[in-house]
Amino acid sequence: MVDRIEVAKLSPGFIEPDIALMPETERCELWRAINAAFAEYEDFIGKPYKRFTTYEQFIQSLTAETNHYLLIKDGEKSLAGVCYQEPDELSETLYFGTLWVALEYRNMDLASQLIGQLEREARKRGLKGMSIQLYRIPTLIDFYRRRHGFVFAIDETRGQMVKYFDCK
């Protein structure tokens, strides 16, 4: 069992796909992969959970001007990914969501490497931190708190979690 996959050793590794050039079959595969990764949360949500209920909803997110998708790929296979939003001029943080890792690639540090890539992007843009919205999923809350230093902005059980960078 591999403990960690080094994204730098994958080809192509991190990519921001050109949605206009992405074949329809690849879009469908990505939609299925994201929904499969989110299915485990239905115990916490209380009903079958799909991140994107319909393919059309996924395409809307994929093609929204303010959304950017960052994927980790090895050859043609998408292993993990995240969506982040273009910050407006008043934003202090880079907002991201829909962070997913394919079931067979869990616990190999891919989510942490995606978060690291997002942090580099946020710093490059001169932002003060990053934020994500979470609800009642203890394993995710623990992951963002312990591994990445996120804290809840208001409520201690759900809502926006933020990580501000050191001001040195």
Side-chain angles (χ1 to χ4, degrees):
M1 173 99 186
V2 177
D3 290 332
R4 177 178 162 87
I5 293 178
E6 290 289 338
V7 176
K9 294 180 180 177
L10 299 177
S11 179
F14 286 118
I15 66 159
E16 279 201 47
D18 183 337
I19 303 309
L21 299 178
M22 184 183 278
E24 188 69 19
T25 54
E26 193 174 337
R27 290 180 184 191
C28 284
E29 181 183 313
L30 187 56
W31 175 58
R32 287 186 192 102
I34 291 170
N35 278 340
F38 275 82
E40 74 177 276
Y41 304 129
E42 66 186 55
D43 288 343
F44 299 102
I45 306 300
K47 60 182 178 181
Y49 184 70
K50 292 183 178 179
R51 176 59 187 93
F52 298 106
T53 307
T54 65
Y55 181 68
E56 291 73 25
Q57 183 187 35
F58 169 67
I59 293 301
Q60 188 176 23
S61 172
L62 196 62
T63 58
E65 283 186 31
T66 58
N67 286 352
H68 300 276
Y69 277 79
L70 177 64
L71 302 176
I72 295 176
K73 293 188 76 163
D74 189 17
E76 293 297 310
K77 183 160 180 67
S78 293
L79 311 182
V82 66
C83 175
Y84 68 95
Q85 292 181 344
E86 187 70 32
D88 62 37
E89 65 262 0
L90 300 177
S91 291
E92 292 185 341
T93 63
L94 183 71
Y95 177 79
F96 68 98
T98 315
L99 192 150
W100 63 277
V101 177
L103 296 175
E104 63 271 26
Y105 294 98
R106 299 271 171 95
N107 299 312
M108 296 181 187
D109 207 40
L110 294 176
S112 290
Q113 291 178 75
L114 281 167
I115 292 169
Q117 189 73 8
L118 290 173
E119 185 170 334
R120 286 186 285 281
E121 179 66 26
R123 287 177 185 272
K124 183 174 87 177
R125 292 169 178 259
L127 298 170
K128 294 180 180 178
M130 304 184 319
S131 61
I132 185 169
Q133 193 83 10
L134 289 178
Y135 295 95
R136 301 183 317 249
I137 303 174
T139 54
L140 291 181
I141 292 168
D142 189 58
F143 171 77
Y144 285 104
R145 270 188 176 152
R146 291 179 192 252
R147 297 274 312 269
H148 296 285
F150 282 78
V151 295
F152 279 106
I154 300 169
D155 187 316
E156 281 301 310
T157 60
R158 67 182 188 278
Q160 185 181 35
M161 291 188 85
V162 294
K163 174 184 180 177
Y164 286 104
F165 307 137
D166 294 336
C167 300
K168 295 180 181 178

